[in-house]
Amino acid sequence: MARKTMFFIRAVIFISLILVLWNFFWVFRLQQPQQIPTKIESTPLSSVPQFMRDVGLDVPKQHPHGNVPIEKPQEIHIAAVVCGNRTNETIVMIKSALIRSSIFIKFILFADDAATSSLNGTVKLWPDKVLNRMSLDLRPITFPADKAEEWKKLFKPCASQRLFLPSLLQDVDSVLYMDTDTIFFTSPLNVWEHFNKMDDVQMAAVAPEHEDFSTGWYNRFARHPYYGNLGVNSGVMLMNLTRMRHFGWEKYVVPIYHEYKSKIVWGDQDIINIVFHFHPEKLYVYPCHYNYRPDHCMYMSVCKTAEEQGIHVLHGNRGSFHNKKQPAFKAVYATIEQYSFGEDLQTLFTNMKESLTETVDTNCGKLMTSLPKLLKI
């Protein structure tokens, strides 16, 4: 009897020990960090328009080694100055940026009262899926108090405002400044990425004003210093505002204006050329297809990178989007102006191509309808 009791006691002890060890095992395991798959914020490929997939825009891809976090593209800041009758141009520029990109874009617009009201009224009517990819930061036109009217009328209304962006945007590191008469035919990210190609001292990036001496304006007519051999065009300009502030940008701009104002023709662009004439190491120059203008096609094709890689940004300077001198530029602008978000994008591109075919009797129309990678569509 005693032996049976002893056996029973030992069995109970053994089973209790097993249960204690088992519970200890699970408590220990629960305290260990769990390998939870990282959630990757991305846009499903099926929801990205076909043209974005075709041109290799910013569609996130799965990391080859599994669920490794993918760094989201940084927020892009696009700045512009809107005064007078430039509101419709600005809307077209913004639409083209959003059509060509799926990343978030913050638009910083310095606008007069009329433009502010019109821009607000138009943008707020856009679909939520568009508004969720952008923000609109409207700011008043602001010039140095002692010369406000003089600066405002330097060239086109308010255009010289961008000379003061380093001090007006103290909270912003970098912007892509766009003239209002520009249209994106690539993702703005592809322009923005040139910041990564700048060296440690370069603080801005622009395209050349001309490609050949026979038609160059600065080399033939300028009465003031300018960058390089042919000058630069400032209509599409990356601005590292932090570096420009460290450089003391406005301490150069104001004295240059006072010294050369009787010789300046193209306003703020001339001042930019003068600054970088004396400090060429501070400027990065990207190819002409990032700022494609009538000068590149009105006589003959002089922008070879556009022939090879397509037009990245179309710039309708000198009223080319509105007058009859360049019907190809006007046709492109009108097609995007008439497009409403929510309509089929393929229809937009088909209409654009059809409109361009009607301009083949002009030099620019002939070139723009025959470029191998025309507008990347």
Side-chain angles (χ1 to χ4, degrees), residues 330-344:
K330 186 175 182 179
V332 170
Y333 177 88
T335 305
I336 299 178
E337 183 181 35
Q338 295 163 12
Y339 171 78
S340 296
F341 285 114
E343 296 176 356
D344 182 53

Side-chain angles (χ1 to χ4, degrees), residues 102-133:
S102 61
I103 62 172
F104 189 89
I105 303 175
K106 180 175 182 178
F107 295 94
I108 305 174
L109 306 181
F110 289 85
D112 59 20
D113 292 342
T116 297
S117 177
S118 181
L119 288 164
N120 267 325
T122 299
V123 171
K124 72 180 183 180
L125 298 177
W126 289 349
D128 287 343
K129 64 180 180 180
V130 174
L131 296 178
N132 290 338
R133 295 191 288 112

Side-chain angles (χ1 to χ4, degrees), residues 56-331:
L57 298 188
D58 45 277
V59 181
K61 295 179 174 60
Q62 180 69 32
H63 193 280
H65 300 299
N67 291 327
V68 176
I70 296 177
E71 183 179 354
K72 294 173 65 176
Q74 60 183 343
E75 179 179 278
I76 287 180
H77 295 77
I78 294 180
V81 178
V82 194
C83 282
N85 61 352
R86 297 282 175 168
T87 305
N88 287 343
E89 283 185 352
T90 306
I91 291 295
V92 170
M93 183 270 287
I94 293 174
K95 285 166 68 175
S96 72
L98 294 169
I99 288 170
R100 278 300 184 183
S101 178
S102 61
I103 62 172
F104 189 89
I105 303 175
K106 180 175 182 178
F107 295 94
I108 305 174
L109 306 181
F110 289 85
D112 59 20
D113 292 342
T116 297
S117 177
S118 181
L119 288 164
N120 267 325
T122 299
V123 171
K124 72 180 183 180
L125 298 177
W126 289 349
D128 287 343
K129 64 180 180 180
V130 174
L131 296 178
N132 290 338
R133 295 191 288 112
M134 65 166 288
S135 67
L136 186 60
D137 181 358
L138 290 165
R139 306 193 182 201
I141 299 296
T142 306
F143 287 109
D146 58 334
K147 299 283 186 180
E149 287 302 312
E150 192 171 348
W151 280 109
K152 188 174 182 179
K153 298 175 181 178
L154 178 61
F155 184 47
K156 295 177 182 178
C158 307
S160 60
Q161 177 76 106
R162 65 95 158 258
L163 294 174
F164 302 96
L165 294 188
S167 62
L168 293 174
L169 298 175
Q170 290 283 344
D171 57 330
V172 180
D173 175 69
S174 300
V175 297
L176 168 56
Y177 172 87
M178 303 293 294
D179 279 355
T180 58
D181 53 357
T182 52
I183 291 175
F184 286 97
F185 284 104
T186 188
S187 168
L189 180 62
N190 291 335
V191 186
W192 188 270
E193 285 178 344
H194 281 274
F195 275 124
N196 296 326
K197 300 179 182 180
M198 294 164 64
D199 65 26
D200 293 340
V201 299
Q202 291 167 335
M203 60 185 183
V206 290
E209 172 66 18
H210 285 282
E211 300 297 316
D212 68 313
F213 283 90
S214 62
T215 58
W217 191 91
Y218 282 108
N219 62 296
R220 293 186 296 160
F221 304 116
R223 296 185 296 126
H224 58 75
Y226 54 88
Y227 176 86
N229 296 321
L230 295 168
V232 291
N233 185 283
S234 58
V236 182
M237 184 174 182
L238 291 172
M239 304 173 70
N240 186 316
L241 301 178
T242 300
R243 292 183 182 179
M244 294 175 82
R245 285 188 285 267
H246 290 162
F247 172 71
W249 174 260
E250 289 168 34
K251 293 179 181 178
Y252 289 85
V253 165
V254 175
I256 283 174
Y257 167 67
H258 289 305
E259 181 173 351
Y260 294 101
K261 65 180 179 180
S262 64
K263 300 178 181 180
I264 287 174
V265 176
W266 305 113
D268 52 313
Q269 177 172 292
D270 287 349
I271 292 175
I272 290 169
N273 266 278
I274 295 170
V275 171
F276 290 116
H277 168 83
F278 293 109
H279 300 277
E281 75 284 356
K282 301 289 185 180
L283 188 65
Y284 173 98
V285 180
Y286 39 56
C288 51
H289 66 301
Y290 287 96
N291 188 346
Y292 191 89
R293 288 161 281 122
D295 305 275
H296 295 123
C297 56
M298 59 194 304
Y299 302 117
M300 59 181 180
S301 178
V302 294
C303 181
K304 300 306 178 184
T305 55
E307 297 179 21
E308 298 166 358
Q309 302 179 40
I311 298 169
H312 280 25
V313 178
L314 191 70
H315 186 179
N317 64 334
R318 295 196 289 276
S320 302
F321 284 151
H322 312 290
N323 59 41
K324 297 180 180 180
K325 294 181 180 180
Q326 298 299 337
F329 281 72
K330 186 175 182 179

